[in-house]
Amino acid sequence: MKTFYDYYNNKIQLSFDDQPFNPEPKHVWVICRYRNKWLLTKHKNRGLEFPGGKVETNETPKQAAIREVQEETGGEVEGIQYIGQYFVTGKREKLAKNIYFAKVSAIQKQDSYFETDGPVLIDQLPSNIKCNETYSFIMKDDVLTHSLDYITKVIEPMYS
């Protein structure tokens, strides 16, 4: 388990074990790839980020992750894998969020992308993302750094 602090100085605990903080988390975050590019969405208030959101009633976290990718990017998920969970101890609330890695097979144009402006494809995430105002605070803590490392070392070799 890794412990660190996020952009707003909230305590974060991150683990790549199977749902160590909550077996029924109410939030998901999905790191997406489409044709060897990163698939993000542009949140109307926060900036560029990977898709994610709340788990709805009668929905599993995995189903929520697939739905959030579709709603926020128009992406059709062809494969999705749970990679970890993190727990945020905030000033007002505490929450557990599952992290997934998704391969997207197609992106469909939509009339609405809900609270986002739709899909954004980039070749490479910037090395200075923590200082880059274009990106959401969600992208600026070590959850992203550790998750990308995990994907590179554990997930991608499984597809090779």
Side-chain angles (χ1 to χ4, degrees):
M1 182 177 355
K2 300 176 186 313
T3 302
F4 48 90
Y5 291 84
D6 72 5
Y7 184 77
Y8 292 110
N9 208 33
N10 296 312
K11 182 180 177 182
I12 306 289
Q13 293 171 282
L14 170 66
S15 175
F16 296 108
D17 293 334
D18 186 22
Q19 302 184 128
F21 306 110
N22 188 336
E24 296 180 11
K26 300 299 178 203
H27 297 85
V28 297
W29 191 51
V30 190
I31 298 172
C32 300
R33 296 287 282 171
Y34 173 69
R35 295 186 178 169
N36 296 315
K37 294 181 185 279
W38 298 108
L39 172 59
L40 294 92
T41 189
K42 185 173 185 289
H43 190 277
K44 292 180 191 261
N45 299 319
R46 296 189 297 251
L48 294 177
E49 61 189 27
F50 285 112
K54 293 182 180 174
V55 178
E56 294 180 355
T57 305
N58 298 320
E59 183 178 55
T60 67
K62 184 175 178 180
Q63 290 168 332
I66 293 168
R67 176 185 50 76
E68 289 289 350
V69 170
Q70 186 273 315
E71 285 179 358
E72 295 182 0
T73 69
E76 294 178 14
V77 173
E78 72 175 348
I80 189 165
Q81 180 152 357
Y82 168 89
I83 62 169
Q85 186 178 74
Y86 66 103
F87 188 79
V88 180
T89 304
K91 291 160 189 64
R92 285 184 244 142
E93 66 177 328
K94 297 178 180 182
L95 66 90
K97 188 180 286 196
N98 277 6
I99 309 163
Y100 294 89
F101 177 64
K103 296 264 185 170
V104 173
S105 59
I107 298 174
Q108 302 298 324
K109 178 107 173 86
Q110 299 177 164
D111 291 336
S112 169
Y113 296 97
F114 294 79
E115 68 274 4
T116 78
D117 291 329
V120 176
L121 290 168
I122 60 173
D123 291 320
Q124 188 173 321
L125 294 168
S127 59
N128 67 341
I129 202 165
K130 291 181 182 188
C131 305
N132 191 321
E133 293 299 316
T134 305
Y135 288 84
S136 164
F137 74 91
I138 294 169
M139 303 285 285
K140 295 182 179 184
D141 61 43
D142 288 334
V143 171
L144 177 61
T145 307
H146 293 301
S147 296
L148 292 174
D149 188 50
Y150 184 84
I151 289 166
T152 300
K153 290 179 179 171
V154 178
I155 304 299
E156 288 180 341
M158 293 186 334
Y159 292 103
S160 300

